[in-house]
Structures are given as C-alpha cells and as structure tokens.
Amino acid sequence: MSTQTTISIDSNAVIELSRSKQEQEWVTALRTEGLTLAGSLELPTLEKTRIDRWSISSYGSYKKSTPLSSLDELPEIAKGLVNQDNLIVQRNSGIVYNQVSEELKKQGVIFTDLETALREHADLVKPYFMKAVEANENQLTALHAALWNGGIFIYVPKDVTVEIPLQALFVTDDAEATFAPHVLIVAEPFSSVTYVDNFVSSLAGSPLVHNGIVEVFVKAGARVNYASIHNLEESVTDLTYRRAIIDNDASIQWVVGEMNFGNTMSDTTSILKGKGSDSDAKVICVGTQEQKLNLTTRAVHWGKASTSDMITRAVMRDGSTAIINGITKIEKGATGCNGQQTEKVLMLSPKARGDANPILLIDEDDVKAGHAASVGQVNAEQVHYLMSRGITKEEAQRLIIYGFLAPVVSVIPIKSVEEQLQSLVERKLGQ
C-alpha cells in the first residue's frame, strides 16, 4: 500500500524564499533537498492509523509577519498564556515579538529565533540543525526541511544554570500562511535550562497543517526540562516530531500536553546515547468528537546504566480514537539499563476507542525493563462509592478523571504550566 501524497510546492519558490531570508547556501541546499525528497518519500507508517486519509495538504505559503508593538495585539486565545520576560512569539510564518533579559545575555545564553541564529550564530546551529531528526526519514520530515519558518534557538554555555523558564508562543490565525516552526536546543556540559512553549490557533474552521520538529542536544552532565502544550482547533492537523540526544550523565524531562481538537500525530523520542543518561517523559491527551490521535513515546538506550521512564494518560470521549504507543529499545552492549513505561486510556463513552501498546525491544541481558498498560471505562463502583458519600455523579466522575491524570499533571515542575494544563482538560471535558 502506497502512502505517498501529491506535493504541489514550487521548488523555485522555496529557493526564492531562502534567498529573501538571506540564508546561507547550505540552508538553501537543505530546503531544496527536502523538497526533492518529499516528492519520493512516503508518509510515515503509523500503528492502526491511515494518516493519508487525514487533511495533510493545506500548508499555505510563506507570509511575512508584522512585528507586535504589544502582546495585547495577539488574538484573544493567545492572551494571558505567557509572561513578557524571556519570551519569543511566532505568529503564522514569522517571529513578531522577542523579549530577552540582559541578565540572560550576560550569562552567554542565546535565546533567539532560528532564522536570526542562522545568520548570526551559524557556527553553533549548523552542527545540530536537522541532525537529530533528518530530512530523509519520511515525507513529513522532508517537507519540514523545505518549508520550516520562524522557530526557536537556545544555546546554554557550559556550567550555566538558567533559573527562569524560557518561553515561546506559537500562534496561527491565517490559514493561508505556512506554519512549520523548528525548535533547536543545545545545552553544553553541566548546564541547565527549562523551556516552555504553547501552540494555539484561531482560524475559524479553515484547514491548516502544522508540521513541527523539535531537536534537543543535552551534553554531558546537563539537564533540560521541556514542557509543551498544544491547543490547536479542530481544523488544524498537528504533526510533530520531538527528539533528544542525551550524553553521559545528562538528563531530559519531557512534559507534553496534547490538548488539540483536531487530528494529531506526535512522536517524542529520547536517544540515551551516554553512560548514565536519563529520560523522563510524561504525556497527557484528551480526545473529543471524531478526533484521531496517534501518540508515540520512545526511549532508545545506547549508553550503559541509562534510565528511562515514560507515562502516558489518555482520556477519550464522544467518538474519538487514540493509538498510544510506548517503545523501549535497549541496544546490545547497553548493560545496566532500566527502562519503564506505563500507558493508560480512560474511555468516557461507548463510541470512544483507545489502544495502549507497550513495546519492549531488548537486545541485552543485563537490564531491567517493565511495562504496564490498560484500557477501560470509568469504574462504576468508584462512582457509586463517591455518590454514597454525598457527591454528585458528575463530580464523582470528575474526581476519578483527575485522579487518573494526576501522575502526569501533579509532577509538572512549573506551576503555571500545571494550571494551564488543568484548565485545558476541564475545557475539553466540558467541565
């Protein structure tokens, strides 16, 4: 079965776009190579999901964005999500707001948009850009290499600890404008940084594809906390790859809230390259209406004594469908590893569907690996018990749902992100 789609993007337009941005020749070459690959590569093969039946052709075209004089000029849905300090805002195809503290700059930290970084810090960007996620993996990654715009670049020097979370807001409110940001983070040895981003849309039902990539490089002894909440409306198809390369004694913590209303495919992967490296990934999603979700969380162990923990919680209602994949891969020679994962799906209506697929791929004997998975409905006995204590049926179900989600929500290290995620869960569940 072929999963190719027709690509109607002009290569000359891609080249002209690159030159208009004053990109270096190697960036232009990467864009044109990506477009060529997109014409020959197939879409990714997803477990029990026909992504070729989704609306995945509405990429729009590049449109220059007008800078904001104030955050008050943002669409209503985007207001109140962020603080003004250490914030970058992308609206549609480009960056419209950039506020970075002088203290951060004095530390040698680079926090800027990726387009600026390619012009001013090419020596730091080139060794990493499209290296964790490569253009030739499938049609989606190839298209991203050709069409990406805006984006974020974070560079943290050795031994530097960034105390205040860095923030980015990605807003799309023009269905004719390409929306494909790229986030690149490089944390040098023994550094530490927390980064938070939000994705929101206001398109009044017009179809659009978000094709995004995140690449994180965590050097020896460094620590990166990455929190991302996607809240895109029903007309937006969200396709996201997140990937981290983790060196000796380094760690990454992922917190992902897939709160979209449209079809969503995401792949969050940690490559545990170094000895003693660590990954902790927590993913939460809520499906409504006829929404289709395919979420994969993956840890690949190469380094000895590396550890990974993955927790995914999905709540499904109406006629929504979720495929939740957890994959722990331990390579030969990665002795002393410990990989654990848990996937659970809670269904709130008879028409909702959820699959939890724990997968262990072990090529080494001296390891620990475990998994747990469950799919079920709200426990009627628990509801009855709570009702017998004077709690209404609706409130009882609410308490059970939040207890189900607590292993993810309660451990979010940033209070504002925890509160926002809680609010979005209530919104999606109509509470």
Side-chain angles (χ1 to χ4, degrees):
M1 179 185 67
S2 173
T3 54
Q4 284 184 304
T5 57
T6 302
I7 307 299
S8 57
I9 300 170
D10 185 2
S11 60
N12 291 328
V14 170
I15 294 172
E16 183 58 35
L17 168 63
S18 186
R19 289 175 177 169
S20 70
K21 293 173 176 289
Q22 299 179 322
E23 294 176 344
Q24 296 183 22
E25 287 299 320
W26 68 268
V27 182
T28 305
L30 183 59
R31 286 190 184 276
T32 55
E33 179 189 8
L35 190 58
T36 300
L37 288 169
S40 59
L41 293 174
E42 295 189 344
L43 292 166
T45 301
L46 304 180
E47 181 77 17
K48 299 181 181 178
T49 302
R50 289 290 302 274
I51 192 174
D52 56 312
R53 295 178 177 175
W54 293 8
S55 176
I56 54 173
S57 60
S58 302
Y59 275 92
S61 58
Y62 176 80
K63 288 189 175 184
K64 190 173 182 179
S65 301
T66 304
L68 300 177
S69 58
S70 167
L71 293 178
D72 292 335
E73 298 175 16
L74 285 170
E76 197 63 35
I77 193 172
K79 293 178 180 178
L81 291 178
V82 291
N83 299 317
Q84 292 190 10
D85 295 332
N86 296 324
L87 169 66
I88 295 176
V89 178
Q90 175 170 339
R91 188 175 190 177
N92 301 314
S93 301
I95 302 301
V96 296
Y97 186 89
N98 190 331
Q99 182 65 45
V100 180
S101 68
E102 289 300 320
E103 180 182 352
L104 205 63
K105 295 176 182 177
K106 289 178 182 178
Q107 289 182 291
V109 176
I110 299 172
F111 178 41
T112 188
D113 63 278
L114 186 55
E115 293 179 4
T116 298
L118 282 167
R119 293 193 300 269
E120 300 179 0
H121 308 285
D123 57 325
L124 295 177
V125 177
K126 188 174 181 179
Y128 304 103
F129 182 56
M130 294 301 296
K131 293 296 193 299
V133 181
E134 298 185 3
N136 61 7
E137 294 188 17
N138 58 56
Q139 189 183 102
L140 298 181
T141 59
L143 277 173
H144 178 90
L147 302 176
W148 73 270
N149 48 56
I152 301 294
F153 177 66
I154 298 174
Y155 176 83
V156 187
K158 182 179 179 182
D159 296 325
V160 171
T161 296
V162 181
E163 300 288 351
I164 301 175
L166 308 182
Q167 301 175 86
L169 174 61
F170 298 97
V171 184
T172 174
D173 60 352
D174 183 350
E176 296 180 359
T178 303
F179 187 59
H182 187 107
V183 177
L184 175 59
I185 300 175
V186 180
E188 294 288 8
F190 306 105
S191 65
S192 176
V193 65
T194 295
Y195 167 79
V196 181
D197 64 31
N198 282 271
F199 286 73
V200 295
S201 67
S202 179
L203 295 170
S206 300
L208 183 70
V209 174
H210 163 246
N211 183 340
I213 285 180
V214 174
E215 298 182 290
V216 184
F217 294 85
V218 194
K219 302 298 183 67
R223 178 176 179 83
V224 173
N225 295 321
Y226 193 114
S228 184
I229 298 178
H230 287 219
N231 180 29
L232 299 169
E233 60 200 303
E234 185 179 356
S235 61
V236 182
T237 300
D238 189 356
L239 311 170
T240 304
Y241 285 94
R242 307 178 187 93
R243 197 166 299 170
I245 310 295
I246 310 155
D247 288 345
N248 293 344
D249 299 315
S251 66
I252 187 166
Q253 182 179 53
W254 301 100
V255 176
V256 178
E258 301 288 7
M259 295 290 109
N260 296 320
F261 287 82
N263 292 344
T264 301
M265 184 284 297
S266 77
D267 185 311
T268 304
T269 297
S270 296
I271 308 296
L272 295 151
K273 179 181 174 183
K275 180 179 179 180
S277 54
D278 176 72
S279 169
D280 186 318
K282 293 180 172 61
V283 180
I284 180 176
C285 70
V286 178
T288 56
Q289 302 301 321
E290 301 304 313
Q291 186 179 10
K292 293 177 174 55
L293 304 169
N294 189 296
L295 312 180
T296 297
T297 311
R298 188 189 333 255
V300 183
H301 293 256
W302 290 94
K304 295 181 179 181
S306 54
T307 56
S308 67
D309 189 29
M310 300 182 288
I311 297 177
T312 303
R313 294 286 190 274
V315 178
M316 312 304 293
R317 59 176 293 183
D318 306 321
S320 57
T321 302
I323 307 297
I324 308 297
N325 303 306
I327 304 173
T328 302
K329 178 73 166 73
I330 300 181
E331 305 288 350
K332 185 67 176 176
T335 55
C337 292
N338 188 353
Q340 304 295 326
Q341 58 168 285
T342 305
E343 294 83 38
K344 292 187 177 182
V345 181
L346 183 65
M347 295 181 291
L348 303 184
S349 67
K351 293 183 178 180
R353 293 290 181 269
D355 281 359
N357 304 311
I359 301 170
L360 301 178
L361 305 171
I362 314 297
D363 289 335
E364 181 57 62
D365 296 328
D366 181 19
V367 299
K368 294 180 181 179
H371 65 77
S374 67
V375 176
Q377 297 181 339
V378 173
N379 190 312
E381 292 183 0
Q382 291 178 339
V383 174
H384 179 74
Y385 174 81
L386 291 171
M387 290 177 65
S388 71
R389 297 299 186 269
I391 298 174
T392 65
K393 182 178 181 180
E394 291 75 15
E395 181 64 14
Q397 290 180 332
R398 178 178 178 274
L399 290 172
I400 292 169
I401 291 169
Y402 289 139
F404 175 78
L405 296 175
V408 176
V409 177
S410 64
V411 297
I412 295 176
I414 305 168
K415 189 65 177 177
S416 61
V417 177
E418 178 184 348
E419 292 173 351
Q420 182 191 352
L421 196 52
Q422 189 90 355
S423 174
L424 289 174
V425 169
E426 292 179 358
R427 177 189 171 196
K428 287 211 73 177
L429 293 176
Q431 297 173 340

